[in-house]
Each structure stands twice: as C-alpha cells, then as structure tokens.
Amino acid sequence: MTEIIVVGACNIDQIVYTPRLPDAGETVLGTDYQIGFGGKGANQCVAASKLGANVALISKVGDDDNGKRYIQNLKRCGVDTSNVLITDASCTGVAPITVANDGSNNIVVFSGANMLLSREDIDSAAGIMKSAKILLCQLEIDKFTTLHSLKAAKNAGVTTLLNIAPAIEDLSDEFFINSDIICLNETEASALTGIEVVDATTAVSAANQLLSKGTSNCIITLGKDGSVAAQENGEVYIVHGDKVDAKDTTGAGDAFIGAFAYFFCKLGSSNYMEAMKRANTVAGISVTKKGTQSSYPMRTDLPEALFEGIVN
Ligand code: RIB
C-alpha cells in the first residue's frame, strides 16, 4: 500500500566539485566530476524509500537513455514507477551543479520532460491516492500541475506538503490554502517574505508571515543550523542541527523532506517535532557524502534508536 506519493521532477545531476563557487563571468577549474540521479521530487521519494517507506512517484522523463536509466534507478530504489511516464516531446531533465569545498552548491535545472507532466496525467494516477497518508510536491514541474495535485490529494483526505523550491515569489495563496504543510529553506523563505532569514528567530518571523497565506504548518530548514516550524495553533518548534563535516549539501533539503514524510507517516501527525528531529539527523548524514540520491542513507546504515517507536 502506497504511503507516500511524490509528484515532481527527475533530473540527471551533473556535478562538478571546485575549490569555491565561481563569480559571474569567472571560470574555475574543477577537481572532481560525478553524474547521478537527482530532481527534487525523485530525491524526496528515494530518501523516504531508502528508510523503508512504500512510495510512488508521478513524474515524466524523456524517451532517451537518461530516462531509461532513471526508471531503472527508481526501481532499484524500491519506488513504484507505474506513474513515471515517458514522452518523446522533450528530453529527460538535467541539472548542472557546482559544489565548493565547504559543501555549498549552486544549481541550474533544464526541466525538459518534467514540464510536460499534465493535470490529465495526475487524474490518470488518482487511484493511488486512496491508500496514501501524505503527498509531496515541489515547484520543478508546471505549477498548475502541482496545484492540481495538491487539490486532488486534499479532496482524497491525504495530507499535503508543498516544498516551495525553487521559490516563486508571486505564488498565489491557493498553493498555501491547499498545502497542510509548506517547507522551504532560508534562501527561499527570504525571497518570499522579504525578511532576511539568517537564524531561528528570523526564520520563525518568516514562518509566521507565510502561515497567514493559508497553510497550517510552515517548516523552514536552516542548513547546518537545523530547522524551525510554526503552526497555525501558535506552536513553534526549533530543532538544532547536528555537527557534521559537510562534503556536499546537494539534495540535503530533499533528504530532510523525504525523511520527514517517512517519520510523519510512521510516528503519526502528533509527533511532528520528533519527525523533524529525526529528519534533521538523516539530512545531516546525507551531507557527509558526495552526490545527491547516492548520499542518502539506507535504514540499515542508521542507528536503530532513530527508528524507536516504529514497528514496520
Ligand atoms: O535539491 C537538489 C536537486 O535540485 C538536485 O538533485 C537537482 O536535480 C535539482 O533538482
């Protein structure tokens, strides 16, 4: 039975490691290169699957070698791919990424086939909503397909989480009203609210501002400093980050969201802060390895204490 449904993008990540990120117009020489599987939607799906969740991805890839390899990868990771569609109208998404020695990155995405995932494709996949507990969306596909997915899940009684990434500044309130939870990082929260989010205090102010748009829960991730959450009932949670030696932060936010969805399903919605804490640990571990999905830990790599209270 599918517990977590993700509607989102598959990209081939082309990562170059450099001593530092280049300035505009500057060329820097790389020290290492890696091709891997990425895309925020697929990353979140794989992160949850590696922990042991039953997950399904609704996505679109090109009718090309990258698309074929991508579907094989998802199957290997235990993801239900029956709604990963193939189109010959565009190529599989690609993401050139630069990662500096301190683990920071910048990313450009060419969406390709991802943008062709349509509202009709979501309607055709509606059957899998029946058993799901949570639906995860991001903003790397057509935004109207995202909104349609959020509405369909809400109508089916499924909890909806929207990861506002990349940030779209004029996002209509409909996206917030149809999302039970929104999750975004400090950069995205700054862009959306005009508040410079630099720590837990400024993050809580930004989260409260975003709550006024109609969502019930707002989580802001703060990289090495952890995460904060504000809820419409006035509750505020602050989770401190674990000290880790960061090698590559690419996809750490996705590891957090995939893991949060897993713990949210397994521990129940009343254990919200516990789900955040445990997701923070998983994301912290992911940054200690290079790569995107390849850096996400399997349940067997993690301390059993992280799964306390989880029966299956
Ligand atoms: O969040 C990280 C992801 O953003 C990468 O995997 C890249 O593909 C882009 O979608």
Side-chain angles (χ1 to χ4, degrees), residues 11 13 38-40 43 95 97 107 109 140 251 254 292:
N11 296 327
D13 286 354
K40 296 182 197 305
N43 291 348
I97 299 175
I107 304 176
V109 172
E140 280 190 332
D254 301 327
T292 313

Side-chain angles (χ1 to χ4, degrees), residues 241-280:
D242 301 329
K243 279 210 167 23
V244 292
D245 179 18
K247 291 201 170 55
D248 185 349
T249 57
T250 312
D254 301 327
F256 175 89
I257 293 171
F260 174 80
Y262 168 82
F263 290 117
F264 180 87
C265 287
K266 299 295 182 189
L267 299 171
S269 53
S270 56
N271 287 309
Y272 199 87
M273 183 163 178
E274 190 56 31
M276 278 176 64
K277 270 192 198 157
R278 296 188 195 191
N280 224 71

Side-chain angles (χ1 to χ4, degrees), residues 44-126:
Q44 294 170 17
C45 201
V46 167
S49 185
K50 283 186 157 188
L51 296 176
N54 284 319
V55 296
L57 178 65
I58 306 177
S59 189
K60 201 166 257 187
V61 296
D63 189 7
D64 47 29
D65 285 347
N66 282 343
K68 288 186 188 82
R69 272 203 298 273
Y70 211 116
I71 291 175
Q72 287 310 316
N73 164 64
L74 292 168
K75 287 186 172 151
R76 264 197 313 274
C77 293
V79 174
D80 173 353
T81 58
S82 37
N83 292 292
V84 178
L85 309 172
I86 300 171
T87 176
D88 58 9
S90 192
C91 64
T92 300
V94 288
I97 299 175
T98 312
V99 177
N101 276 353
D102 64 0
S104 60
N105 65 56
N106 57 34
I107 304 176
V108 176
V109 172
F110 177 68
S111 301
N114 292 303
M115 279 296 163
L116 302 180
L117 188 70
S118 66
R119 285 171 266 188
E120 291 72 30
D121 295 332
I122 303 304
D123 291 341
S124 306

